Amino acid sequence: MLPEPPASSPGDETEEVEEGAEAEAEEAAETPEFADLPLPALSALREALTWAFEGEEVPPGYLDRCAEHALIVQEGNRRMNLTKIVEPREIAAKHYLDCWRAARYLPLMGRSLLDLGSGGGYPGVPIALAEPNARVVLLDSIQKKA
């Protein structure tokens, strides 16, 4: 015959409820802020980049690659918090134009650059796209972002 399981005490039920509430709170905290936000179209991102880079001399294809990266980041932003900047024009001006200008003013050709805590890849990816003759390494302590 199998032994009967021990009878539960009144305190056991409270512990289970508390553990369930803690698990729900942790799950809610992990839900990204922008999980339900609709993704911008690639064409909208490209249009915003054209707007932001008006008057800048950029190599052919640079804005297309930036738009593709922006879309990838926004897709990732639905699964984990990568950036609070989600409007196409803000993305273009604050992430890509800023990085472009930094790459133009810094002597990066043939140099190595470490983007420590890169998160969504800013500024590392736009700088790497802007200066293909630089070695850019992106590093983030959170494995799922890396």
Side-chain angles (χ1 to χ4, degrees):
M1 222 177 173
L2 295 173
E4 289 186 33
S8 62
S9 63
D12 291 344
E13 195 173 298
T14 305
E15 286 177 22
E16 287 176 16
V17 170
E18 287 174 5
E19 287 174 10
E22 286 176 16
E24 285 178 23
E26 282 179 27
E27 198 172 295
E30 289 180 11
T31 301
E33 184 177 343
F34 303 107
D36 298 326
L37 190 69
L39 285 175
L42 184 62
S43 60
L45 291 166
R46 180 60 170 83
E47 198 174 289
L49 285 159
T50 300
W51 166 82
F53 280 77
E54 187 177 331
E56 299 284 332
E57 290 185 37
V58 296
Y62 178 73
L63 297 182
D64 293 328
R65 292 187 307 248
C66 289
E68 291 167 4
H69 177 253
L71 185 58
I72 291 168
V73 171
Q74 292 306 308
E75 287 171 349
N77 214 28
R78 299 175 89 190
R79 293 185 305 277
M80 68 192 96
N81 290 319
L82 297 173
T83 178
K84 288 188 181 254
I85 300 172
V86 295
E87 295 300 318
R89 283 192 169 195
E90 285 189 43
I91 292 168
K94 293 179 180 177
H95 284 316
Y96 295 94
L97 183 59
D98 286 352
C99 295
W100 167 259
R101 288 187 174 156
R104 296 299 93 201
Y105 292 115
L106 298 172
L108 297 174
M109 185 182 289
R111 303 241 174 141
S112 294
L113 176 77
L114 173 63
D115 178 1
L116 187 60
S118 64
Y122 303 112
V125 171
I127 289 176
L129 294 173
E131 184 50 74
N133 295 313
R135 180 172 181 251
V136 181
V137 176
L138 284 71
L139 181 65
D140 200 285
S141 65
I142 300 173
Q143 187 175 4
K144 68 181 183 178
K145 287 183 181 182

